[in-house]
Amino acid sequence: MYAIRSVQVNQDGLKLNGTHQLLAYADDVNMLGGSIHTLEENAEALVVATKEIGLEVSADKTKYMVMSRDKNAGRIQSVRIDNSTFERVEEFKYLGTTLTNQNSIAEEIKRRLRPGNACYNSVQNLLSSRLLCKNLKIKIYRTIILPVVLYGCEAWSMTLREEKKLRVFENMVLRRIFGHRRDEVTEEWRRLHNEELNDLYSSLILCG
């Protein structure tokens, strides 16, 4: 905590909700700055403070990323602290979430859908079983599959394209749960339409 407080004394950091930002979880530290110069100053303060208590900042594990609408921003600059030059990256993973320099969530959603599909495949026999009621199948979906897909979603800034990808995945799961329906006109079995799936899902949630 001493090292963290030492950096917080610097009043040039980027503010979010009125707070100078240095995010720390265990030994994972994420620093935000409005410029590379500010970032260097804060990083230098952190390195000095950690040395005073016998700790070191790993140069090999430390990366920095520039987020700007200008794709060339910071291209000719580098971050160098205590004779170590930090690598610039276009994306990195922090606390299980992939952050990109374009603030795009597309790759993160694609990455979350992979374990989501794996989880779905592991329980799809249960979702199509006639021995389980649909209420129980919905609970399986919401407690086992959905948390895997939506991990870290509180920080997502989605577009309609990303929402559609998530909706396609959910409809795939719901079709496995609700099965097919006999057409009233042709009397043939058909897949449920998206609107029908949404209505059935909503009604079960309300009842459950």
Side-chain angles (χ1 to χ4, degrees):
M1 285 301 295
Y2 166 75
I4 301 300
R5 292 194 188 100
S6 297
V7 181
Q8 295 286 33
V9 170
N10 188 326
Q11 296 299 304
D12 295 328
L14 186 67
K15 284 188 176 182
L16 183 64
N17 293 332
T19 305
H20 296 280
Q21 292 302 294
L22 191 153
L23 311 177
Y25 181 83
D27 61 347
D28 288 322
V29 178
N30 186 13
M31 305 178 69
L32 306 179
S35 67
I36 289 183
H37 175 69
T38 298
L39 189 64
E40 285 181 323
E41 286 190 339
N42 286 337
E44 181 69 37
L46 181 63
V47 169
V48 171
T50 54
K51 284 185 175 181
E52 290 179 0
I53 56 177
L55 300 176
E56 291 186 1
V57 174
S58 173
D60 293 334
K61 295 182 179 179
T62 303
K63 317 292 181 185
Y64 81 98
M65 183 173 70
V66 176
M67 301 181 69
S68 173
R69 293 179 180 178
D70 180 5
K71 295 183 179 180
N72 296 318
R75 287 291 181 187
I76 61 175
Q77 295 175 289
S78 61
V79 175
R80 186 176 179 83
I81 305 295
D82 197 29
N83 297 322
S84 298
T85 301
F86 298 150
E87 177 188 359
R88 175 172 175 167
V89 296
E90 294 185 353
E91 66 176 46
F92 70 90
K93 187 182 295 185
Y94 182 68
L95 300 183
T97 299
T98 301
L99 308 175
T100 72
N101 61 344
Q102 297 297 312
N103 197 28
S104 171
I105 204 64
E107 287 302 316
E108 173 65 9
I109 289 180
K110 186 185 299 183
R111 193 178 69 84
R112 297 309 315 165
L113 284 175
R114 283 196 290 270
N117 275 295
C119 188
Y120 162 72
N121 289 331
S122 68
V123 298
Q124 61 176 320
N125 288 338
L126 293 176
L127 299 181
S128 58
S129 173
R130 295 183 177 179
L131 300 178
L132 302 180
C133 66
K134 289 182 173 56
N135 272 325
L136 182 56
K137 294 177 183 179
I138 291 296
K139 288 181 179 179
I140 292 175
Y141 166 56
R142 291 175 62 85
T143 58
I144 297 178
I145 302 176
L146 205 55
V148 173
V149 176
L150 297 183
Y151 176 82
C153 67
E154 297 85 356
W156 291 356
S157 178
M158 293 195 301
T159 64
L160 290 176
R161 179 180 298 179
E162 276 71 57
E163 287 185 17
K164 183 177 180 180
K165 290 179 181 179
L166 293 173
R167 182 65 64 186
V168 168
F169 174 80
E170 180 170 82
N171 286 342
M172 174 187 70
V173 178
L174 294 180
R175 283 193 172 91
R176 172 68 64 172
I177 293 174
F178 293 114
H180 291 71
R181 171 176 291 181
R182 186 182 294 274
D183 191 280
E184 296 179 356
V185 178
T186 64
E187 294 189 353
E188 295 181 351
W189 291 98
R190 62 169 177 82
R191 290 202 323 167
L192 291 169
H193 301 309
N194 293 343
E195 295 79 6
E196 294 172 320
L197 288 172
N198 185 61
D199 291 342
L200 289 170
Y201 184 36
S202 299
S203 63
L204 280 181
I205 292 178
L206 291 174
C207 293

